[in-house]
Amino acid sequence: MKNILVSGASGIIGYGILRSLQLSGRDFKLIGTTIYTDSPAEGFCDIFEQAIPTNDPNYIAWLLKVIEKHQIDLIIPGIEADMYAWAEHIQILQKSGAKVLLNANELIDVCHDKWVFYEKLKTVNSPYTIATSLEANFETVVKEFGLPLLLKPRCGHGSKGIVKVNSKVDFEKYREFIGSQLMVQPIVGNDDEEYTTSAFCDGIGGFFAFMTLKRKLSKDGFTEKAEVVELENIEEVLRSLCEVFKPIGPTNFQFRKDNSGLKLLEINPRISSSTSIRAKFGYNESLMAVDYFLEGKTIEQPRIKKGKAIRYIEDLIIYE
């Protein structure tokens, strides 16, 4: 039996990972952690541990104690804050004996700041790059990008903090933050042409398996509705991006499509927020991670079922 810890188990990624591992039917002991006491985490794990905040000075010491207490074999981050904290303290965590599910260090670093990410793509002349600017002059950016345009947080995830600018009045409200906190982009394509592709990457510029969903986002920036699709040239696109960033393990690529083809919104160097949806269509990236990082197995492309998914509110009852 493998003991697997999933952090951020109260969130859609965390309990999505736990549900995916449960779905596998394999003999795992699942330990879920979260700072919240009133969350659904307990319903999806065998053991629940209440966490302290990731930014607490004692967080890593606390995590090491939990790893030792439950003899953890693999730890999987369910929130981005943990991913970055674990990457920063990777040597300490590795000494615990537990495997740490983290992507390539360089990719984690570059994805932390979307402007740095853009500059990396620009350096290699990637055709999938979305034009981006730190220019704070309204007339200049309108001349380049037109209206409406977007202001995006340099550091953030999902669609949180994105501002759609329709006028100079809108722009001026946020102008002082452009450069230090926000960056400017044109609107690429439309909401009906957004795609999320998860690939299981090999760390040397390639990938073993992938799956693409055409999606609609919730107001929180996560996939709310999805349809399994096959994107033209997606394997070529993934190979090109993997050659640049050399990701390893579960990696999420988000695209919009316009008249010139696919444009890369961002890379999330972690398990996808739609991971529980993917697992039910045959692409269980959490199980792949266990097989690859703990068992040393080679990952093969699974057979993907066709269909659609809709997320909805449901009740979870936890009896005393």
Side-chain angles (χ1 to χ4, degrees), residues 109-162:
D109 287 343
V110 79
C111 288
H112 193 46
D113 186 327
K114 291 180 174 60
W115 174 254
V116 175
F117 178 71
Y118 162 73
E119 288 193 310
K120 176 70 173 180
L121 286 172
K122 189 178 177 182
T123 298
V124 298
N125 296 314
S126 172
Y128 315 111
T129 307
I130 296 174
T132 306
S133 174
L134 298 182
E135 175 60 60
N137 180 275
F138 178 73
E139 285 74 19
T140 301
V141 294
V142 169
K143 184 177 181 180
E144 183 177 2
F145 298 147
L147 282 177
L149 53 78
L150 298 179
L151 300 179
K152 289 186 175 181
R154 289 179 54 165
C155 301
H157 62 279
S159 60
K160 293 181 179 179
I162 295 178

Side-chain angles (χ1 to χ4, degrees), residues 167-215:
S167 67
K168 187 172 184 177
V169 173
D170 294 339
F171 189 85
E172 290 298 323
K173 292 178 183 177
Y174 301 93
R175 186 171 60 83
E176 65 179 299
F177 303 110
I178 296 173
S180 60
Q181 299 178 38
L182 299 173
M183 60 188 196
V184 189
Q185 283 188 344
I187 294 178
V188 175
N190 57 65
D191 292 347
D192 294 327
E193 292 289 348
E194 183 153 325
Y195 302 88
T196 171
T197 298
S198 281
F200 201 96
C201 304
D202 62 13
I204 55 174
F207 59 94
F208 299 109
F210 71 96
M211 176 187 180
T212 299
L213 296 170
K214 185 177 183 179
R215 70 175 188 174

Side-chain angles (χ1 to χ4, degrees), residues 30-317:
L30 302 177
I31 295 87
T33 73
T34 177
I35 62 173
Y36 301 106
T37 57
D38 55 347
S39 81
E42 292 182 65
F44 302 110
C45 58
D46 300 302
I47 299 172
F48 171 72
E49 288 278 357
Q50 186 171 353
I52 62 176
T54 308
N55 60 3
D56 189 300
N58 297 312
Y59 171 74
I60 294 298
W62 169 86
L63 180 58
L64 290 170
K65 288 180 181 178
V66 174
I67 290 172
E68 182 180 10
K69 176 181 177 181
H70 298 290
Q71 295 297 291
I72 302 297
D73 296 295
L74 175 69
I75 61 174
I76 305 177
I79 56 174
E80 290 203 349
D82 286 346
M83 178 183 72
Y84 291 119
W86 295 4
E88 184 180 350
H89 298 91
I90 184 62
Q91 293 182 344
I92 297 174
L93 292 174
Q94 286 176 334
K95 290 179 181 179
S96 71
K99 294 284 187 180
V100 185
L101 181 56
L102 287 176
N103 218 303
N105 288 336
E106 183 180 356
L107 179 59
I108 292 174
D109 287 343
V110 79
C111 288
H112 193 46
D113 186 327
K114 291 180 174 60
W115 174 254
V116 175
F117 178 71
Y118 162 73
E119 288 193 310
K120 176 70 173 180
L121 286 172
K122 189 178 177 182
T123 298
V124 298
N125 296 314
S126 172
Y128 315 111
T129 307
I130 296 174
T132 306
S133 174
L134 298 182
E135 175 60 60
N137 180 275
F138 178 73
E139 285 74 19
T140 301
V141 294
V142 169
K143 184 177 181 180
E144 183 177 2
F145 298 147
L147 282 177
L149 53 78
L150 298 179
L151 300 179
K152 289 186 175 181
R154 289 179 54 165
C155 301
H157 62 279
S159 60
K160 293 181 179 179
I162 295 178
V163 178
K164 185 176 181 180
V165 172
N166 293 289
S167 67
K168 187 172 184 177
V169 173
D170 294 339
F171 189 85
E172 290 298 323
K173 292 178 183 177
Y174 301 93
R175 186 171 60 83
E176 65 179 299
F177 303 110
I178 296 173
S180 60
Q181 299 178 38
L182 299 173
M183 60 188 196
V184 189
Q185 283 188 344
I187 294 178
V188 175
N190 57 65
D191 292 347
D192 294 327
E193 292 289 348
E194 183 153 325
Y195 302 88
T196 171
T197 298
S198 281
F200 201 96
C201 304
D202 62 13
I204 55 174
F207 59 94
F208 299 109
F210 71 96
M211 176 187 180
T212 299
L213 296 170
K214 185 177 183 179
R215 70 175 188 174
K216 287 188 178 295
L217 294 177
S218 70
K219 60 181 176 61
D220 295 319
F222 298 115
T223 300
E224 184 175 55
K225 298 178 181 179
E227 179 181 3
V228 178
V229 296
E230 294 181 6
L231 269 180
E232 185 178 0
N233 298 325
I234 186 60
E235 292 185 60
E236 177 185 334
V237 174
L238 289 176
R239 275 193 289 270
S240 173
L241 294 170
C242 286
E243 286 176 5
V244 173
F245 295 105
K246 295 181 173 52
I248 185 168
T251 309
N252 179 234
F253 302 81
Q254 296 182 14
F255 301 98
R256 278 272 184 114
K257 184 186 285 188
D258 66 7
N259 294 333
S260 64
L262 290 176
K263 295 297 181 181
L264 182 64
L265 293 172
E266 63 182 1
I267 296 177
N268 293 312
R270 54 167 170 75
I271 289 177
S272 164
S273 64
S274 56
T275 191
S276 58
I277 292 176
R278 297 180 194 277
K280 291 179 180 178
F281 284 109
Y283 188 89
N284 195 330
E285 57 191 334
S286 300
L287 183 61
M288 291 179 193
V290 174
D291 285 342
Y292 186 76
F293 290 101
L294 283 185
E295 306 291 349
K297 295 181 180 179
T298 300
I299 304 302
E300 297 181 355
Q301 175 68 43
R303 186 179 70 84
I304 308 297
K305 298 176 184 177
K306 298 290 187 179
K308 298 180 180 180
I310 301 172
R311 281 180 162 149
Y312 62 96
I313 295 173
E314 61 178 319
D315 301 319
L316 174 65
I317 308 302

